[in-house]
Amino acid sequence: MSLTLNILVDGIAYGMILFIIAVGLSVTMGLMRVINLAHGGFALIGGAFAHWLTMAQGVGFWVALPLAILGTVLVALPLERLLYRRIYGFGELQQVLATIGITFLMIATVNLWLGSSLLQIRLPEGLGQPVDLGFRTLPMHRIVVIGAGLAVMAGLWLVLDRTGFGMRLRAAVDNRATAASLGIDTGRIFALAFCLGAGLAAFGGILGAELLPVDAYYPLRYMVLFLIVVAVGGMGSILGSFAAALGLGILETASRYLVPDFGTIFFFACVIALLALRPRGLMGRLT
């Protein structure tokens, strides 16, 4: 029982980080219909800003967190204006090649700025305090991560499904010309959605640095995980990404606990089997 509870707690915390980062990719791929393989680069940029602020500038974590997210959004906005607006009209292969090129540009920039070593982010003492759950002691950081994931899921559901912005975004995706003729500023809507995804990636990259360590090659190391979450959950589905991230987080944690020598093989075999049965994912949108 103790082992099961340990797997659940660690897996849920790990899955929440995957969700926070990958859900932005689900928005861009499922709603905006662009294959953005540079998405993990925004998590890297957020982590790089947080590292620089907390370690080099002595800024406290809770101040550095929103500043680093804002810095990432300020990088994402001109990229969307100058590059991604052209990429939206590319074919799928061209989108893949273009966004991989942007990924390597991000990696080279961070490597030049901060080097290729691990980018440590100084957490406040409060997040390191142990919390006794009865069956084990857990750092407060894990509790905060789980709470943040739940808050992001609820907030995104409200924004995309219950607000005028979400309705305008879906209209712009379904038929951009018609939406524009009805007075919707589709360029602004796409820019806001793109920046939302980049900001979430930065938030997850910073908050999850203890679980997914940040270095210059972060996008290459973890992008497959983010893509798996989107594919298993179903592109464009917030609830699907949430369920997939939790399930995959628990599955990978269990494989590391129970079959450490074959954990990776077991994890990817389960993913392949699931996608063979559900090629559109758990809750993929067909439109």
Side-chain angles (χ1 to χ4, degrees), residues 13-30:
Y14 180 56
M16 286 297 187
I17 291 301
L18 291 180
F19 167 70
I20 293 172
I21 299 175
V23 71
L25 182 60
S26 182
V27 169
T28 55
M29 289 182 66

Side-chain angles (χ1 to χ4, degrees), residues 7-8 10-19 225 228-229 232-233 238-256 266-268 270-271 274 282-283:
I7 290 172
L8 284 175
D10 289 342
I12 289 172
Y14 180 56
M16 286 297 187
I17 291 301
L18 291 180
F19 167 70
L225 276 177
I228 287 173
V229 171
V232 170
I238 305 304
L239 184 58
S241 293
F242 182 76
L246 283 186
L248 293 171
I250 293 171
L251 175 63
E252 185 168 354
T253 302
S255 66
R256 290 201 302 265
F266 177 74
F267 173 77
F268 283 106
C270 291
V271 171
L274 179 58
L282 298 175
M283 303 177 189

Side-chain angles (χ1 to χ4, degrees), residues 181-231:
S181 69
L182 293 174
I184 297 175
D185 188 344
T186 56
R188 181 170 176 270
I189 291 293
F190 271 59
L192 288 173
F194 186 85
C195 289
L196 174 64
L200 286 172
F203 180 50
I206 297 165
L207 198 61
E210 292 290 305
L211 298 171
L212 299 178
V214 179
D215 63 14
Y217 296 94
Y218 182 99
L220 298 182
R221 185 171 294 113
Y222 299 119
M223 179 49 71
V224 170
L225 276 177
F226 307 148
L227 288 171
I228 287 173
V229 171
V230 174

Side-chain angles (χ1 to χ4, degrees), residues 150-170:
L150 292 172
V152 168
M153 191 272 289
L156 274 177
W157 178 78
L158 287 173
V159 168
L160 295 179
D161 285 9
R162 292 292 184 269
T163 67
F165 168 77
M167 290 186 288
R168 288 192 291 271
L169 174 60
R170 292 193 298 273

Side-chain angles (χ1 to χ4, degrees), residues 9-10 13 123 125-133 136-146 210-211:
V9 171
D10 289 342
L123 297 176
E125 292 184 3
L127 290 184
Q129 294 296 320
V131 177
D132 188 2
L133 299 180
R136 67 169 292 183
T137 300
L138 194 70
M140 177 58 73
H141 175 261
R142 299 291 196 275
I143 306 296
V144 171
V145 164
I146 293 172
E210 292 290 305
L211 298 171

Side-chain angles (χ1 to χ4, degrees), residues 34-225:
V34 57
I35 303 173
N36 182 20
L37 296 189
H39 183 76
F42 294 110
L44 166 63
I45 292 172
F49 275 128
H51 166 80
W52 178 72
L53 288 168
T54 59
M55 303 301 291
Q57 305 302 315
V59 178
F61 176 80
W62 296 115
V63 176
L65 177 63
L67 289 178
I69 294 173
L70 177 61
T72 304
V73 170
L74 292 177
V75 171
L77 184 58
L79 281 177
E80 197 276 339
R81 295 273 181 175
L82 299 174
L83 295 178
Y84 278 90
R85 291 201 175 185
R86 293 167 175 79
I87 293 173
Y88 294 152
F90 290 179
E92 292 180 352
L93 178 59
Q94 288 76 21
Q95 288 181 351
V96 168
L97 294 174
T99 54
I100 285 177
I102 294 172
T103 300
F104 282 109
L105 178 63
M106 292 175 173
I107 291 171
T109 301
V110 172
N111 201 4
L112 178 65
W113 176 26
L114 298 171
S116 58
S117 60
L118 189 67
L119 302 179
Q120 182 182 355
I121 299 172
R122 183 183 290 118
L123 297 176
E125 292 184 3
L127 290 184
Q129 294 296 320
V131 177
D132 188 2
L133 299 180
F135 60 93
R136 67 169 292 183
T137 300
L138 194 70
M140 177 58 73
H141 175 261
R142 299 291 196 275
I143 306 296
V144 171
V145 164
I146 293 172
L150 292 172
V152 168
M153 191 272 289
L156 274 177
W157 178 78
L158 287 173
V159 168
L160 295 179
D161 285 9
R162 292 292 184 269
T163 67
F165 168 77
M167 290 186 288
R168 288 192 291 271
L169 174 60
R170 292 193 298 273
V173 168
D174 288 339
N175 194 317
R176 188 166 186 174
T178 301
S181 69
L182 293 174
I184 297 175
D185 188 344
T186 56
R188 181 170 176 270
I189 291 293
F190 271 59
L192 288 173
F194 186 85
C195 289
L196 174 64
L200 286 172
F203 180 50
I206 297 165
L207 198 61
E210 292 290 305
L211 298 171
L212 299 178
V214 179
D215 63 14
Y217 296 94
Y218 182 99
L220 298 182
R221 185 171 294 113
Y222 299 119
M223 179 49 71
V224 170
L225 276 177

